[in-house]
Amino acid sequence: MSKDKVKGMTEQVTGKAKEVEGKLTDDKVRESQGKAENFLGKARQKVDELKEDLEEKFDRKD
């Protein structure tokens, strides 16, 4: 598993925790920060998956 994939997963978990914390404390800013971090984590994972797919396809053609 790549560092980017792990970082993306970590961002998703911490983002979700911040989002829940914001909802429980009625802190809209914290909730929004959590949502943004969760989204960033998902995006990082998708980019990493795309990168792995491209590397795999180019390696096969050699």
Side-chain angles (χ1 to χ4, degrees), residues 10-47:
T10 303
E11 287 172 338
Q12 286 182 59
V13 171
T14 57
K16 191 63 177 175
K18 287 177 184 178
E19 184 180 347
V20 170
E21 176 190 11
K23 284 181 182 179
L24 291 173
T25 60
D26 200 29
D27 184 347
K28 298 297 181 194
V29 173
R30 186 71 167 176
E31 185 179 346
S32 295
Q33 288 172 337
K35 286 180 180 181
E37 192 169 341
N38 189 4
F39 177 78
L40 179 63
K42 288 179 183 180
R44 187 180 307 276
Q45 270 192 293
K46 291 294 182 188
V47 167

